[in-house]
């Protein structure tokens, strides 16, 4: 059965090691019949979670903030697999990547599981 896969690429380098691994993964997944959508988070305007609990709703874009997460929410809502890709270095994007990309979609996961 074909899967819808979303890759959240937190690397600031589109041609770096993380992107090379993502490319290999994508090629393998697509050759197996899966659909892959990749987002380059470094070039997107995404703000951190405010902890306001205003996002637990049934809206298309459940967070009260209006930024590029609104492009990600609909794709994540329909996907079967989420891949978090980020370089392992002491760069602030790693912290921001995991903080933002695990907290902000929480409203989607809570609604789907709850």
């Amino acid at each position: 059965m074909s899967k819808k896969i979303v890759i959240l690429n937190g690397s600031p380098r589109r041609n770096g090691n993380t992107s090379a691994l993502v490319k290999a993964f994508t090629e393998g997944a697509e050759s197996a019949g899966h659909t892959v959508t990749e987002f380059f988070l470094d070039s997107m305007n995404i703000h951190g979670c405010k902890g306001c609990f205003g996002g637990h709703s049934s809206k298309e874009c459940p967070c009260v903030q209006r930024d590029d997460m609104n492009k990600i929410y609909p794709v994540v809502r329909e996907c079967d697999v989420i891949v978090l890709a980020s370089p392992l270095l002491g760069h602030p994007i790693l912290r921001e990547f995991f903080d933002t990309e695990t907290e902000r979609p929480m409203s989607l996961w809570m609604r789907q599981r709850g």
Side-chain angles (χ1 to χ4, degrees), residues 42-93:
D42 187 59
S43 62
M44 299 179 80
N45 179 27
I46 299 175
H47 306 289
C49 181
K50 293 182 177 208
C52 68
F53 296 104
H56 297 281
S57 69
S58 60
K59 297 177 185 175
E60 177 77 14
C61 298
C63 184
V64 298
Q65 298 188 73
R66 296 295 170 242
D67 58 16
D68 286 342
M69 280 297 293
N70 290 350
K71 298 174 185 175
I72 297 174
Y73 286 130
V75 182
V76 166
R77 183 176 278 120
E78 298 298 320
C79 78
D80 301 300
V81 177
I82 299 173
V83 176
L84 301 176
S86 183
L88 296 176
L89 42 89
H91 193 277
I93 195 167

